[in-house]
Amino acid sequence: MDMTRTGETVVVAMSGGVDSSTVAGLLHREGARVVGLTMQLWNQRRLAELAPDGPLAHRCCSLDDVYDARRVAEHCGFPYYVVNFERQFEAAVIRPFVEEYLAGRTPIPCAQCNTAVKFDELLTTARQIGAERMATGHYARVRRNEATGRWELWRARDAAKDQSYFLFGLTQEQLARTQFPLGEMTKGEVRELARELRLPVAEKPESQEICFVPSGDYAQFIAAYLEEQGAAAEETAGEIVTKEGEVVGAHSGVHQFTVGQRRGLGIASGEPRYVLRIEPDSRRLVVGSGEELFRDTCEVADLNWIAFERLEGRMRAEVKIRHRHEAAAAWIEAADAGDAEALRVRVRFDEVQRAITPGQAAVFYQGERVLGGGWIR
């Protein structure tokens, strides 16, 4: 377990859940000077009309979570503050989220938040208050490779909870200043430790929903957000067509769909049809059979390499194209033969993969080690 030195000041990013609370309680017990920080990312009063009737599903960054994080800090006896990053969050996460859906892609806001806000803005704040290191409740591991001198990201011991997929964008500087104390623990062990520490959130359920989409309806959020901004939702309605170009239906907006989707197409057909491709320029959804969802190649851009500085030639790796996807063996090579820097790579899988989705992350592994990753285009 990666522990901080006794007496060292360390910031703990506290979401109010059991994982980050256990990290804070553990480091405090081990003698670190813990400062708890919770990020205020989204004003819950904005677009309040989108909140569902009845009790809200458990989701991160709610007002209840702030209350719970403060209770943990008071219980343990360390200072706690809420830092407002609403402006940065909207610029780095909300707007790209909306733009990606309108462009026919399916974004991952949590990965964007990790890279651009939590491990950027929060680390800056940590340094300003005299803490050189930050700890979070993520299930992952950080190690320094003495042979290469680089900081590396590794999968968590608990494969079912591993979150390395969402952390592929972390830089060397961010990894050097970050620790994941839960990386060597299972979720059951974390619960037991929370009970041992008598944390008031020891039995709290896990968050399920994205913080700024309380209803879980992304299309509804996008329409409401654009209206709030004074920009009417783009006219993205169009035709539903087969690969051969036959028109088989109509849809009310490309941002309401993702590759692999079956429900909500409104097509009367003798066999199930799925979204194979989204064409935002022509506003068309291309649909087909489940077998047609399988492909063996994809291109990945906006790369971040962790284990090394850049790709040299071709490389074997296992590639995850979704968080719950089992990493699949593949070759990785520069997408353009003339691209010496390999700024965009092509992934060639040994076996076909289902529903490779533009906007999702492709993360490259060799065993437990994360090599890097980028965004599927």
Side-chain angles (χ1 to χ4, degrees), residues 316-342:
R316 289 290 287 174
E318 301 89 49
V319 182
K320 291 187 71 165
I321 56 173
R322 285 179 294 278
H323 174 46
R324 296 301 182 188
H325 175 255
E326 185 175 348
W331 283 101
I332 301 174
E333 61 190 8
D336 184 346
D339 182 4
E341 298 293 318

Side-chain angles (χ1 to χ4, degrees), residues 266-297:
I267 301 174
S269 174
E271 62 179 22
R273 293 193 178 181
Y274 302 82
V275 177
L276 304 180
R277 189 169 65 251
I278 300 173
E279 299 178 347
D281 291 341
S282 62
R283 305 199 299 272
R284 299 198 310 176
L285 295 182
V286 180
V287 298
S289 67
E291 290 74 16
E292 292 174 295
L293 279 172
F294 288 87
R295 294 166 45 202
D296 62 0
T297 63

Side-chain angles (χ1 to χ4, degrees), residues 80-131:
Y80 169 80
Y81 306 97
V82 177
V83 289
N84 191 307
F85 291 145
E86 289 183 27
R87 176 180 56 81
Q88 297 92 324
F89 183 75
E90 186 160 4
V93 179
I94 299 286
R95 289 175 188 162
F97 175 87
V98 172
E99 291 165 1
E100 285 285 279
Y101 264 111
L102 292 177
R105 293 186 286 268
T106 306
I108 310 176
C110 292
Q112 291 282 63
C113 181
N114 280 336
T115 303
V117 183
K118 182 172 291 183
F119 292 91
D120 187 3
E121 300 289 347
L122 202 55
L123 273 170
T124 298
T125 301
R127 180 166 285 166
Q128 290 171 345
I129 63 175

Side-chain angles (χ1 to χ4, degrees), residues 238-259:
E239 297 174 332
I240 302 176
V241 303
T242 66
K243 288 174 65 177
E244 294 72 32
E246 176 190 359
V247 178
V248 294
H251 66 85
S252 57
V254 295
H255 60 285
Q256 300 179 35
F257 301 90
T258 186
V259 171

Side-chain angles (χ1 to χ4, degrees), residues 68-331:
D68 286 341
R70 189 179 299 280
R71 282 203 302 156
V72 169
E74 290 175 351
H75 169 76
C76 294
F78 58 76
Y80 169 80
Y81 306 97
V82 177
V83 289
N84 191 307
F85 291 145
E86 289 183 27
R87 176 180 56 81
Q88 297 92 324
F89 183 75
E90 186 160 4
V93 179
I94 299 286
R95 289 175 188 162
F97 175 87
V98 172
E99 291 165 1
E100 285 285 279
Y101 264 111
L102 292 177
R105 293 186 286 268
T106 306
I108 310 176
C110 292
Q112 291 282 63
C113 181
N114 280 336
T115 303
V117 183
K118 182 172 291 183
F119 292 91
D120 187 3
E121 300 289 347
L122 202 55
L123 273 170
T124 298
T125 301
R127 180 166 285 166
Q128 290 171 345
I129 63 175
E132 286 300 315
R133 290 164 66 78
M134 179 176 76
T136 78
H138 287 97
Y139 288 82
R141 292 178 285 182
V142 177
R143 298 177 179 175
R144 181 172 173 81
N145 187 321
E146 297 301 332
T148 65
R150 294 184 69 84
W151 291 91
E152 296 182 342
L153 178 67
W154 288 62
R155 296 179 192 260
R157 173 188 157 207
D158 187 341
K161 296 298 298 179
D162 175 56
Q163 294 173 296
S164 59
Y165 177 83
F166 298 107
L167 300 168
F168 78 90
L170 298 187
T171 66
Q172 286 294 295
E173 180 183 2
Q174 290 168 343
L175 288 169
R177 299 179 56 208
T178 299
Q179 58 186 127
F180 302 125
L182 307 187
E184 299 286 352
M185 303 176 66
T186 66
K187 183 68 178 190
E189 290 169 343
V190 171
R191 287 280 186 192
E192 283 303 313
L193 181 55
R195 296 181 187 115
E196 178 185 330
L197 294 168
R198 301 184 181 278
L199 300 181
V201 297
E203 307 302 331
K204 184 177 179 178
E206 295 191 64
S207 60
Q208 301 294 331
E209 301 295 336
I210 295 175
C211 61
F212 58 90
V213 189
S215 67
D217 189 331
Y218 303 128
Q220 185 184 42
F221 171 83
I222 290 169
Y225 178 79
L226 289 173
E227 182 178 359
E228 179 201 58
Q229 299 300 301
E234 288 189 24
E235 180 55 53
T236 63
E239 297 174 332
I240 302 176
V241 303
T242 66
K243 288 174 65 177
E244 294 72 32
E246 176 190 359
V247 178
V248 294
H251 66 85
S252 57
V254 295
H255 60 285
Q256 300 179 35
F257 301 90
T258 186
V259 171
Q261 183 172 332
R262 175 185 172 186
R263 297 183 183 277
L265 294 177
I267 301 174
S269 174
E271 62 179 22
R273 293 193 178 181
Y274 302 82
V275 177
L276 304 180
R277 189 169 65 251
I278 300 173
E279 299 178 347
D281 291 341
S282 62
R283 305 199 299 272
R284 299 198 310 176
L285 295 182
V286 180
V287 298
S289 67
E291 290 74 16
E292 292 174 295
L293 279 172
F294 288 87
R295 294 166 45 202
D296 62 0
T297 63
C298 67
E299 288 195 1
V300 182
D302 300 321
L303 298 159
N304 180 62
W305 295 108
I306 296 175
F308 41 79
E309 186 175 351
R310 65 172 60 89
L311 177 66
E312 302 286 352
R314 301 175 75 208
M315 178 182 68
R316 289 290 287 174
E318 301 89 49
V319 182
K320 291 187 71 165
I321 56 173
R322 285 179 294 278
H323 174 46
R324 296 301 182 188
H325 175 255
E326 185 175 348
W331 283 101

Side-chain angles (χ1 to χ4, degrees), residues 13-41:
M14 299 185 67
S15 69
V18 64
D19 293 330
S20 60
S21 296
T22 302
V23 167
L26 176 61
L27 294 179
H28 178 71
R29 186 178 71 177
E30 294 295 324
R33 297 176 58 193
V34 171
V35 178
L37 295 182
T38 293
M39 299 182 297
Q40 170 63 33
L41 300 176

